[in-house]
Amino acid sequence: MNKLICFVSLVIAVSAQAAPNVVMLLSDDLGWKDIGSYGGPVKTPALDELAQKGIRFTDFYAGSAVCSPSRATLMTGRHHIRTGVYSWIFDPEQRSHLLEREITLAEVLKQAGYDTAHFGKWHLGLPYGKHKKPTPDVHGFDSWFATENNALPTHHNPTNFYRNGEPVGPLEGYSCQLVVDEAIDWLDTHRERNTPFFLNVWFHEPHQKIAAPDEISQEYGDPKSQPAIYSGTIDNTDRAIARLLAKLKKIGVEDDTLIIYASDNGSYRADRVGNLRGRKGSNWQGGIRVPGIFYWPRKIPAGQVASAPAGLVDVLPTICGLLGIDPPKGVHLDGSDISPLLTVNPQNFERHQPLFWHLQKSRPVVAIRDGDYSLVAEPDYPLSTDNMFDEAWISAIKTGSYKNYQLHNLKDDPSQENDLATAQPEVLERMKKQLLAINQSIMADGARWDLRTDQPQ
């Protein structure tokens, strides 16, 4: 369906002057137990203050266990396979990208009168390889400053940023600070005054290849060691976030700004996922559970800690709910509006569909969470688990089935050590039916990049 047709039914229930600004902060490969407010070892006072003055979710989830699909889910409120993204995107070779027909959060807010800008990692497809792909402006951003994937050669002095389609060239400094520099400059010189804005700020840290100032890394050990540099990148990002928050306060919009913070997937370091099983790339909890913080002084009461499962898939419908904007019509949203949880009205919240993950390279390949229970399964088809996704596998993925189901009660067993599939067959069968129904719906929408087209139907 043409996205313009979908917008015809979009009803704006708030005026531009009454609407809050929206800032989405996203880290890259940051684990559930990295930052201070989650019991992590890194000093993150800016993020900890957001958590203290807003709401912190204990069981918050990425859209996927790897970068690109998680970001597609965040931008659309839909499972990433529906949006054209099966795994992480390699622009030099793959056709995959976030499809133009998808209605993004930026488009929803732009239609509601917002100025929109993206800063930092993109990784949803850019047209600098073999294939034509849409740039962020096609997905609703008035301005953008981005890299295809990682900051190269490292976080220090990156050379691969593009600004509104033009290569920027070598830059001096660290990626997180450069991204915030650009966001602050946009606030100062490019936005329309008295118009609400949406800032999409996606940091590269702590994704490899890592780099941080020695004076920060040395607070966590040998400044040349990987563990200390890893922590240093997170600390440096928190300092960059503090600068952005100070800017919002200086221009007088702090209380009128909804700020959301999360990570795109779990850490690649096993020591940064707490007691959870697995890490980045895995559909065990360590690969998909991440920090989740929501802050908006005008509407979200301070000092809350929520244990209800939620995730990046909920961001688009939740922002629509908080702002009084109708979500996109004519598309299936996999996420739910969790605004009742944010505004201390949990009795008004009911998730319409369990949280669901599918990642071909992961074992388990699928996972679902419904309440306290998690169900995972292995693929019943032979495909490689190599790091690089092959688009020729899509037909097998769309028609594949599953086996070796494992059931866990995450409240009693967060490490997923005790399989309850035999002990609780009724729960197993109920969740298996849910999993297969969601899977069938998602796969029916999945784009056919294996048919060698740049815009699959």
Side-chain angles (χ1 to χ4, degrees):
M1 182 181 295
N2 187 297
K3 65 173 69 175
L4 293 177
I5 296 175
C6 295
F7 275 141
V8 170
S9 59
L10 188 66
V11 178
I12 313 289
V14 291
S15 69
Q17 291 183 342
N21 307 300
V22 179
V23 176
M24 181 70 223
L25 304 172
L26 190 70
S27 286
D28 192 1
D29 291 2
L30 181 135
W32 181 61
K33 284 289 186 180
D34 267 322
I35 67 174
S37 54
Y38 280 80
V42 185
K43 301 170 187 176
T44 52
L47 290 170
D48 298 347
E49 184 175 1
L50 291 179
Q52 183 180 15
K53 293 182 176 180
I55 183 169
R56 175 175 67 85
F57 281 82
T58 63
D59 293 38
F60 197 81
Y61 289 94
S64 173
V66 294
C67 302
S68 302
S70 188
R71 294 158 192 269
T73 292
L74 165 59
M75 289 300 296
T76 64
R78 287 157 54 81
H79 191 275
H80 52 85
I81 288 179
R82 298 188 196 272
T83 77
V85 183
Y86 286 79
S87 186
W88 71 271
I89 294 170
F90 184 59
D91 281 323
E93 297 292 339
Q94 293 175 350
R95 292 173 169 79
S96 302
H97 57 76
L98 178 62
L99 291 168
E100 290 186 37
R101 67 181 181 229
E102 291 298 313
I103 301 172
T104 69
L105 176 59
E107 290 173 295
V108 170
L109 292 176
K110 186 176 177 67
Q111 183 72 9
Y114 279 67
D115 284 350
T116 59
H118 171 85
F119 305 102
K121 179 170 176 172
W122 181 242
H123 212 185
L124 290 172
L126 286 175
Y128 307 126
K130 292 183 178 180
H131 305 287
K132 180 182 177 182
K133 299 185 180 186
T135 45
D137 52 291
V138 177
H139 290 299
F141 289 101
D142 300 319
S143 181
W144 59 278
F145 174 75
T147 63
E148 294 171 89
N149 185 353
N150 305 323
L152 298 175
T154 71
H155 301 143
H156 190 217
N157 297 341
T159 62
N160 61 324
F161 273 94
Y162 290 82
R163 183 185 291 114
N164 299 323
E166 297 296 326
V168 177
L171 295 170
E172 293 185 3
Y174 290 88
S175 178
C176 59
Q177 299 291 348
L178 293 168
V179 165
V180 165
D181 286 345
E182 196 80 9
I184 289 174
D185 178 70
W186 184 87
L187 288 169
D188 281 337
T189 62
H190 297 288
R191 69 183 176 98
E192 291 289 335
R193 299 300 192 269
N194 301 318
T195 298
F197 57 79
F198 169 45
L199 296 185
N200 202 41
V201 186
W202 289 0
F203 299 103
H204 298 87
E205 292 86 351
H207 194 293
Q208 296 174 321
K209 299 177 178 178
I210 58 177
D214 284 353
E215 61 269 24
I216 297 178
S217 297
Q218 68 185 6
E219 297 186 22
Y220 304 97
D222 180 350
K224 303 302 181 184
S225 70
Q226 289 295 297
I229 300 172
Y230 175 92
S231 292
T233 70
I234 299 168
D235 186 319
N236 198 24
T237 303
D238 188 76
R239 298 179 191 213
I241 291 171
R243 291 176 52 228
L244 180 59
L245 298 178
K247 184 64 179 180
L248 296 176
K249 185 174 183 178
K250 183 177 180 179
I251 63 177
V253 299
E254 180 184 27
D255 289 345
D256 291 318
T257 301
L258 167 64
I259 301 174
I260 304 170
Y261 173 78
S263 176
D264 64 344
N265 47 251
S267 177
Y268 50 85
R269 293 187 60 89
D271 60 339
R272 296 303 177 90
V273 297
N275 61 341
L276 304 180
R277 184 174 178 179
R279 52 184 172 172
K280 176 185 177 179
S282 165
N283 280 332
W284 295 114
Q285 291 286 295
I288 54 178
R289 196 187 295 190
V290 296
I293 298 169
F294 290 72
Y295 167 90
W296 182 14
R298 182 147 60 89
K299 197 155 187 176
I300 298 175
Q304 298 183 73
V305 177
S307 60
L312 291 181
V313 71
D314 300 321
V315 167
L316 185 150
T318 299
I319 289 176
C320 289
L322 287 171
L323 273 57
I325 298 173
D326 281 349
K329 301 295 185 181
V331 296
H332 178 84
L333 294 181
D334 294 290
S336 295
D337 174 7
I338 63 169
S339 58
L341 300 178
L342 307 181
T343 55
V344 201
N345 293 294
Q347 70 279 2
N348 295 331
F349 174 68
E350 182 177 355
R351 183 168 294 281
H352 74 279
Q353 173 185 302
L355 298 166
F356 176 91
W357 297 268
H358 180 288
L359 182 64
Q360 186 279 324
K361 67 169 287 185
S362 171
R363 298 295 180 268
V365 69
V366 287
I368 189 174
R369 175 155 186 183
D370 186 25
D372 292 335
Y373 285 95
S374 164
L375 184 69
V376 301
E378 305 290 335
D380 195 16
Y381 52 88
L383 282 180
S384 171
T385 57
D386 288 346
N387 195 36
M388 185 64 68
F389 179 74
D390 189 337
E391 291 168 337
W393 298 340
I394 289 177
S395 179
I397 290 170
K398 285 172 67 70
T399 59
S401 57
Y402 308 109
K403 63 182 180 180
N404 299 336
Y405 288 88
Q406 296 182 55
L407 177 69
H408 301 92
N409 185 320
L410 297 176
K411 183 177 181 179
D412 300 333
D413 178 29
S415 301
Q416 295 175 288
E417 296 176 346
N418 304 311
D419 181 10
L420 302 175
T422 300
Q424 299 189 25
E426 293 182 359
V427 177
L428 171 68
E429 288 305 312
R430 171 178 61 81
M431 292 189 66
K432 184 177 177 180
K433 289 180 181 178
Q434 291 174 315
L435 185 153
L436 292 175
I438 297 171
N439 183 81
Q440 183 180 23
S441 172
I442 288 168
M443 294 304 170
D445 283 349
R448 294 297 303 270
W449 299 111
D450 54 320
L451 301 181
R452 308 188 71 79
T453 175
D454 286 331
Q455 282 292 331
Q457 299 302 310

